[in-house]
Amino acid sequence: MNINSMQRLEFEIVKEQLKGYTVSYLGVAQTEQLTPIMNVRVIRQKLAETEEALGLIRYGASVPLPSLTGMENIMNLLGTGYLFTEHDFMNLLQFLRSCHQLKKYMNSKKDTAPNVASYADSMYTLDPLREEIERCIYLGRITDQASKELAKTRKQVAIAEERMKKKLDALLSKHRSILQDQLVTKRGERYCLPVQKEFRKLLKGNVVDESASGQTVFIEPADISMLQMELNMHKAQEQREESKILSELTVLAESSIYELKINTDTVGLYDFLFAKARYALSMQARSVEMTSDGIIDLHEARHPLVGNMVPLDFHIGDAYRSLIITGPNTGGKTLCLKTIGLLTLMAQSGLLVPVGEGSKLSIFEQITVDIGDGQSIEHALSTFSAHIKNMIEILNTANASTLVLIDEMASGTDPGEGTGLSIALLEELHKRKAVVVATTHFTEIKNFAGSTPGFENARMEFDTDSLKPLYRLTIGQAGQSYAFAIALKLGIPPHIIERSKEIAAKPVATSFPPSMESAVTKPEKVQEEPSSTLLNRCEEKEPHILEPKPKLSSEVVNTGEHKDKDQIKQRIQIGDRVYIPFMKESGIIAEEEDARGQCTVIVKGKRIQIASKRVKLHISAEELYPEDYDFDIVFESKDARKKRKLMSRKHVPGLIIEKKPEDL
């Protein structure tokens, strides 16, 4: 799977969130290794077991998951010659007891969670090791029952300590008058009496220490020196015997390295599995149907990293494998792309996803994206260069098992060339049968999608009254950018908005305000050429159409200079037959150019809006139809014409003329 795409879709953030639900070092390791799977059978198994785990914890069930506290150190040191301590064996003992409880618990859940419970079957109880640790160690201390020799030595230590105590009590009583305190203290392993400094010569023995003030010296009496040596000897023997017992326990543990490895790995797997379940519970996620046919069908889908998101309904992959999403900025188009891509990555990784019931996702070998401008200061890449770099990467891998997500097609360069290149790229991806979801603001790309088999339009809904995006996706309709309305709402002065509309509605060369007209001495060539890619293709198919010969309009002012035919602004009127280069189709003008520079063209029986500068006059209406021709014959159905004629004569109750959405 493409690493860059996974990063752009924020899959690593999902893994970090998932990591927060783990409780062991092995659970963390499993999360870090999480990656999309390509095998549909394995994916379905992972989703099924995660859903089972979710069922176990959803209703408050307490899973006795063993603690791995201290086990990482134990597993790393087993077999290295390291002598484990009493504390190490207490951690090991707790782990073995918990494994026994987990096996018992999972055995009781085989009917309700068979996939989850099956993992515990591979675990070992290791009763001999557990029982030996229990016999030898209690509350972090080696027990007297660990060996007969240890019990004997500890008895000798106790006798020596009792004799020492009696002797010290006698010395306390005898030297009461010279002592700073009436008590016995220990300095290291040596018993001492606290003697006032000026009387230190009155007590025979070795000065071991003195107080910070120097007023007290701690003296080991000579009368107990022999008793101290005897006690130290017995304690040394005790330590040797304890080390022997720890060594025997270490050898016993090392004989079970394989079994302990299986147990710890299984516990780590359970930790990871129940972390996925708790993560799913936190975002109300569920399992989805997984196939390999490229069909994505999402109901009420939500992005796991976005709170309060309007649920997304989305479909692609059967009637159409390429979807073009349009709509205003900040309307949710990019979020839609990221939601589709991230949910696919999650499901292929065995994670439950936040979607509604009946949702379906497909398995892709590659998910390639071009989201964001991808600019790099270090490499000084422009926005357009970054897009091209991403598209080259997409083309290198795109096939029938690729999901392609492209944000803001045709951005960062000349609109005419950008749209031409974008459409050519869409055609190429369609030939390779890739599943493509792209966003754009350009009308030409919308119209291409609306008239090309295998493509479909969609729009992010927008409230035109409040000028607020609704973040709902509607498939089957193209949207608008609402740039002027949004700019006005955000504070751009109204006169600038009005001027913007004038400029957008007219070619640049004829849209100068009166104050600037005198500065124009020569008409500009305003007709924008299509991209070279599409131009070459159109020339091969219909070269005679690409060079129409428009009539000279009486509206063109004669300046006394020769006008090149390319410098004459073609006048488009209702009934004209025009050619649309980027669609490679002809159509009839149904509505003349509006304030936004858009005209309505009937192409193959469907009404579509196209920028007037994107169409070429083929045959004018004057050549096709007689004067005062009734264009309703062309633009309305026979039934509608009959109804209109009847309604012009008299009122007919209940009689209406209905129009399809595309005819409005």
Side-chain angles (χ1 to χ4, degrees), residues 67-68 71 91-99 263-264 267:
S67 169
L68 289 178
M71 289 304 299
N91 288 332
L92 180 55
L93 178 60
Q94 180 59 39
F95 174 71
L96 294 175
R97 287 172 174 170
S98 299
C99 288
N263 281 13
T264 52
V267 170

Side-chain angles (χ1 to χ4, degrees), residues 184-437:
V184 176
T185 64
K186 289 189 72 173
R187 288 295 184 266
E189 293 297 321
R190 302 168 72 176
Y191 290 93
C192 303
L193 296 179
V195 179
Q196 297 179 40
K197 184 177 181 180
E198 59 268 28
F199 302 119
R200 62 182 178 180
K201 291 183 179 181
L202 298 179
L203 178 62
K204 189 177 181 180
N206 299 317
V207 176
V208 176
D209 197 5
E210 67 177 33
S211 65
S213 64
Q215 298 303 310
T216 304
V217 292
F218 299 93
I219 299 175
E220 180 186 31
D223 293 347
I224 69 166
S225 295
M226 294 302 296
L227 293 175
Q228 184 73 64
M229 290 176 59
E230 181 182 356
L231 178 60
N232 291 344
M233 180 185 68
H234 292 312
K235 285 195 171 183
Q237 179 62 28
E238 179 187 25
Q239 289 180 352
R240 286 193 295 270
E241 191 60 29
E242 288 178 346
S243 296
K244 180 181 177 182
I245 293 167
L246 293 175
S247 178
E248 290 173 351
L249 287 176
T250 300
V251 171
L252 184 60
E254 289 178 340
S255 68
S256 304
I257 289 179
Y258 173 78
E259 292 82 355
L260 288 171
K261 178 85 166 53
I262 294 294
N263 281 13
T264 52
D265 286 349
T266 304
V267 170
L269 188 150
Y270 271 125
D271 180 22
F272 175 60
L273 180 55
F274 283 103
K276 291 195 295 182
R278 287 190 292 271
Y279 184 45
L281 187 63
S282 72
M283 57 183 173
Q284 298 179 326
R286 57 161 39 94
S287 182
V288 292
E289 180 185 353
M290 297 296 295
T291 65
S292 301
D293 54 13
I295 296 177
I296 300 174
D297 188 18
L298 298 176
H299 307 289
E300 299 182 340
R302 291 168 285 113
H303 195 288
L305 307 180
V306 179
N308 301 320
M309 173 183 171
V310 176
L312 171 70
D313 291 329
F314 181 86
H315 185 89
I316 197 172
D318 41 19
Y320 53 91
R321 290 177 71 89
S322 296
L323 185 69
I324 307 300
I325 302 176
T326 50
N329 287 327
T330 71
K333 301 189 300 297
T334 303
L335 180 59
C336 178
L337 293 185
K338 288 187 173 182
T339 300
I340 296 162
L342 183 56
L343 294 188
T344 300
L345 287 173
M346 290 173 65
Q348 282 193 227
S349 302
L351 297 176
L352 305 188
V353 290
V355 296
E357 189 174 355
S359 294
K360 177 180 179 180
L361 284 166
S362 184
I363 299 168
F364 295 96
E365 293 180 2
Q366 286 290 345
I367 299 178
T368 55
V369 303
D370 179 20
I371 295 178
D373 60 19
Q375 293 191 70
S376 168
I377 296 176
E378 180 182 355
H379 296 94
L381 292 176
S382 69
T383 301
F384 181 67
S385 297
H387 280 305
I388 294 301
K389 181 180 178 182
N390 290 337
M391 290 309 304
I392 292 173
E393 185 178 355
I394 290 172
L395 290 172
N396 286 338
T397 58
N399 56 37
S401 187
T402 303
L403 173 62
V404 180
L405 305 173
I406 307 174
D407 195 26
E408 299 296 352
M409 291 202 80
S411 64
T413 189
D414 175 79
E417 294 183 357
T419 53
L421 180 60
S422 296
I423 291 173
L425 288 169
L426 288 172
E427 289 179 333
E428 178 63 24
L429 292 172
H430 183 66
K431 289 178 183 177
R432 300 190 187 188
K433 300 182 179 179
V435 175
V436 181
V437 187

